Amino acid sequence: MGLAPLGSFLVVLLTLLWLGSRWLRRRGAGWGHRTLCTAGPARADDVRALVVTAHPDDEAMFFAPTILSLGRFRAQLWLLCCSSGNFYNQGEIRKKELVQSCSVLGIPSSNVTVIDHRDLPDDPAVEWDTHLLSTFVLEHVETNCINLLITFDAGGVSGHANHIALYMALRYLQSEGKLPEGCQVLTLKSVNLLRKYISILDVPISCLQSQDVLFILTKEESEQAKRAMRCHHSQLLWFRHTYILFSRFMVINSLCCL
């Protein structure tokens, strides 16, 4: 195949992929509801969900599609952030930014908790203690009658050690039978680097993949997710702007039952 025909073929392929992504995205608003009911409580509006993150901005960078979709289904939402993000001594600033971001995403400030523990620093070189983390999570679950826990998977999306530590803590709670009866755990599925940065073009691919819950934001909701991310002013370096534009995690969340 010559270069000209090959170029034309690629243009047609990308156009079809883009059109298919837009069509699937419009249809995708209800998918999470149908699959969520098989993974957790019988009714989506009975969901009391706790999103467990490692750093301020994780909720917008990675979990916005889940949070906004659950809010659309009238679930009650809590967020537990396990560090203040103080790696560059910006912890107090980042905690305020987190509250602002959560407000945009529909989580009231009263439902946002930041753990600022000396043994849980924002540092990929520090191994977070599984038992300490699980204690904080379990306390939150029991206090707020949580029936759905959401966090990173074993890959941590970006491979960050603090993200992976959260997965290990929730896996420990579940494997040891410490979670209340009926409390489900969903983990955010990591993807390869190419898929991570093709935005809505990943919609058809995601639809063909195996997962228990798939959340796809509408165009209006994805703009809301971007507004939440922009609340983290201290973190908006040039590559974060690129992330906001191209990351599929600003539009799509694939989750699997633990």
Side-chain angles (χ1 to χ4, degrees):
M1 183 181 290
L3 290 179
L6 178 60
S8 299
F9 171 76
L10 289 175
V11 169
V12 171
L13 180 62
L14 287 172
T15 301
L16 290 173
L17 187 60
W18 180 75
L19 290 172
S21 298
R22 287 176 60 87
W23 181 78
L24 287 168
R25 188 180 185 183
R26 286 196 296 270
R27 289 177 56 86
W31 291 350
H33 178 264
R34 291 195 290 271
T35 52
L36 178 63
C37 292
T38 66
R43 286 162 45 93
D45 54 4
D46 289 335
V47 171
R48 297 175 64 87
L50 175 64
V51 181
V52 184
T53 63
H55 317 107
D57 76 9
D58 287 351
E59 80 295 336
M61 283 188 70
F62 305 115
F63 293 97
T66 295
I67 294 170
L68 289 172
S69 296
L70 287 173
R72 185 200 311 143
F73 303 138
R74 299 189 300 279
Q76 296 184 64
L77 295 163
W78 284 260
L79 184 120
L80 178 63
C81 183
C82 295
S83 81
S84 63
N86 200 39
F87 190 77
Y88 294 108
N89 298 314
Q90 296 177 311
E92 292 306 312
I93 293 172
R94 297 194 68 185
K95 284 192 280 188
K96 293 176 182 176
E97 292 173 344
L98 173 64
V99 171
Q100 294 169 359
S101 171
C102 285
S103 177
V104 172
L105 294 173
I107 304 177
S109 59
S110 58
N111 289 8
V112 178
T113 301
V114 178
I115 298 172
D116 202 355
H117 194 284
R118 65 178 182 275
D119 293 332
L120 300 174
D122 173 11
D123 189 340
V126 175
E127 184 175 345
W128 284 1
D129 183 79
T130 297
H131 291 87
L132 178 61
L133 278 173
S134 62
T135 299
F136 282 121
V137 173
L138 186 58
E139 179 183 350
H140 240 68
V141 168
E142 293 175 342
T143 299
N144 298 295
C145 301
I146 299 299
N147 55 24
L148 180 63
L149 279 165
I150 300 160
T151 196
F152 297 97
D153 70 357
V157 177
S158 62
H160 197 296
N162 298 162
H163 297 178
I164 297 169
L166 300 183
Y167 167 81
M168 299 299 291
L170 268 65
R171 190 180 71 171
Y172 166 77
L173 286 173
Q174 187 182 66
S175 64
E176 294 296 317
K178 294 181 179 293
L179 293 175
E181 184 178 355
C183 184
Q184 301 290 320
V185 181
L186 290 174
T187 59
L188 182 61
K189 191 175 180 181
S190 300
V191 298
N192 62 49
L193 190 62
L194 175 62
R195 288 185 59 199
K196 188 174 180 179
Y197 290 107
I198 58 174
S199 189
I200 66 168
L201 293 180
D202 193 58
V203 171
I205 302 172
S206 296
C207 292
L208 295 173
Q209 297 293 307
S210 173
Q211 63 249 322
D212 293 297
V213 180
L214 177 63
F215 290 128
I216 304 172
L217 296 185
T218 64
K219 183 177 180 180
E220 293 75 17
E221 289 170 334
S222 65
E223 290 301 317
Q224 190 176 351
K226 291 175 183 177
R227 289 199 304 274
M229 187 60 206
R230 292 188 185 109
C231 290
H232 295 279
H233 302 289
S234 66
Q235 305 303 300
L236 290 181
L237 304 175
W238 69 267
F239 56 87
R240 290 290 170 82
H241 289 285
T242 303
Y243 182 95
I244 291 171
L245 286 174
F246 294 108
S247 175
R248 55 97 68 185
F249 288 99
M250 297 299 297
V251 183
I252 309 161
N253 275 177
S254 305
L255 300 109
C256 297
C257 291
L258 186 60

